[in-house]
Amino acid sequence: MLEKKIPVWLDTDPGVDDAMAMALLFAIDAYDVKGVSAVAGNVELPKTFQNARDLVAFFGRKDVPVYPGAARPLFREPRTCYFIHGQNGLGDVPLPASDAPVEKKPAWDALYEAAKAAEGELTLIAVGPLTNVALALGKYGTLGKLLKRIVIMGGSATYGNATPAAEANIFCDPEAASTVFQSGVPIVMCGLDMTLKTVMSPAELDEMGRLNPTAKFLRDAAQHGLSYSQAHGIDGMALHDPTAVLYPLYPELFSGEEAGVAVETKGTITYGKTVTDLFSDKQFPFKNALVMLDVNKAKLFETVRELLARY
Ligand code: RIB
Ligand code: CA
């Protein structure tokens, strides 16, 4: 009997690891991708929107609509990561421009419509700042009940990568993240505690790149950020965003714990920190997220290679 497909939506700020996440998303037959939305993050919105469009076309899925989202965070000043993702957001590796129709509908409206149509079954995968998600939840009071769950790449139960306290996606829009964590929607948090255990070395990236032209693009796009990562003690590329895309279908690759999570929005030193009660005897009066803490790296890489080999 045909397995029912999993309806998913991807919100993203491509972004080099976002690009690999998208390649995996479209290689997974079990996913019914209802839409992709772009948000300002790694680079500005015009570039993340164009990148998302071009990547969807590059992966052979121009049938999937791509929507423009927020051009800036809810309150704080915008923050980009050119030092990792390059000027064009894809490691300065060019992609052919998509000739798919340019969607004008804002991401938050399109996401709500897809969630309503999916009748509570939509899994939202968010791998950039959570601005679009917060705006959608704020505009549509029933959205929280229409989303089955939100799988995010973001946060950390321990250290940060944008500051010593905060992970980049959360740090880019802490107020939006706080809204999402308080929304009541079940959250799976693929944070740094797990994703920094997924570093693919330069040699492993090269091996991946030999699979086919699609994998070679992903390997080439990763080169720009490698030098920055190596200068900061990480000899390779962490598969941050790919983990969030894989989690819904391959949860057995990961392990974590239910926790209460709240986002610091008033701190100066701790602004954007996801405060969890995982390692505290003082617990929050709620459990709102499944926080990923570990991953089977060998099986993760095997799954990534198997999926990319489908292109
Ligand atoms: O901290 C890693 C996250 O920040 C990833 O989503 C990466 O794409 C950047 O957006
Ligand atoms: Ca991202």
Side-chain angles (χ1 to χ4, degrees):
M1 205 230 328
L2 271 179
E3 287 289 303
K4 202 157 164 287
K5 289 206 168 199
I6 303 169
V8 298
W9 183 283
L10 179 73
D11 191 72
T12 178
D13 63 332
V16 172
D17 59 322
D18 305 68
M20 185 186 286
M22 290 176 73
L24 299 173
L25 181 83
F26 292 119
I28 295 175
D29 300 332
Y31 286 165
D32 175 6
V33 184
K34 297 298 185 186
V36 173
S37 48
V39 64
N42 287 320
V43 291
E44 290 85 354
L45 179 72
K47 292 180 181 177
T48 57
F49 182 43
Q50 187 61 49
N51 289 343
R53 283 173 40 82
D54 296 347
L55 287 162
V56 166
F58 183 61
F59 298 135
R61 293 301 307 273
K62 279 195 297 191
D63 58 298
V64 175
V66 180
Y67 298 94
R72 54 157 304 115
L74 297 184
F75 296 100
R76 62 157 293 164
E77 75 290 351
R79 171 189 183 272
T80 52
C81 293
Y82 284 115
F83 47 92
I84 292 181
H85 301 275
Q87 284 303 312
N88 79 342
L90 297 175
D92 293 328
V93 177
L95 265 186
S98 168
D99 61 2
V102 179
E103 297 290 351
K104 297 268 188 284
K105 185 178 293 180
W108 39 89
D109 294 341
L111 170 58
Y112 171 68
E113 288 165 14
K116 210 163 61 172
E119 297 176 329
E121 287 307 307
L122 188 68
T123 290
L124 169 57
I125 302 170
V127 296
L130 292 166
T131 318
N132 290 344
V133 183
L135 288 167
L137 288 164
K139 181 171 180 181
Y140 299 101
T142 58
L143 179 60
K145 292 274 182 280
L146 289 172
L147 289 171
K148 182 173 184 177
R149 61 185 161 178
I150 305 173
V151 184
I152 75 165
M153 188 282 138
S156 161
T158 49
Y159 36 71
N161 63 351
T163 73
E167 179 279 329
N169 284 336
I170 309 298
F171 188 59
C172 276
D173 197 340
E175 289 78 7
S178 180
T179 299
V180 173
F181 275 94
Q182 293 181 59
S183 66
V185 182
I187 290 171
V188 177
M189 184 174 115
C190 296
L192 298 178
D193 313 282
M194 178 268 286
T195 66
L196 284 176
K197 296 175 181 174
T198 70
V199 175
M200 190 174 268
S201 71
E204 287 167 324
L205 283 164
D206 291 345
E207 183 202 358
M208 178 198 79
R210 286 192 281 272
L211 278 171
N212 52 43
T214 298
K216 184 178 184 308
F217 163 77
L218 298 173
R219 176 262 173 212
D220 293 348
Q223 300 310 300
H224 180 279
L226 274 186
S227 43
Y228 175 86
S229 302
Q230 287 161 334
H232 289 78
I234 297 180
D235 185 24
M237 172 183 152
L239 303 193
H240 295 296
D241 294 347
T243 64
V245 161
L246 292 176
Y247 178 83
L249 192 64
Y250 304 96
E252 71 280 1
L253 294 178
F254 310 95
S255 62
E257 287 180 40
E258 291 290 343
V261 182
V263 181
E264 177 57 68
T265 58
K266 302 282 181 270
T268 46
I269 298 169
T270 56
Y271 185 52
K273 180 173 182 56
T274 46
V275 179
T276 78
D277 56 12
L278 275 176
F279 311 118
S280 156
D281 59 354
K282 188 67 185 158
Q283 299 285 292
F284 285 124
F286 51 82
K287 295 292 178 205
N288 56 341
L290 177 61
V291 177
M292 291 297 116
L293 296 169
D294 210 351
V295 57
N296 182 328
K297 181 177 175 182
K299 281 198 174 301
L300 173 71
F301 283 15
E302 192 184 303
T303 306
V304 167
R305 277 193 291 271
E306 180 212 302
L307 289 169
L308 292 181
R310 295 180 182 179
Y311 283 94

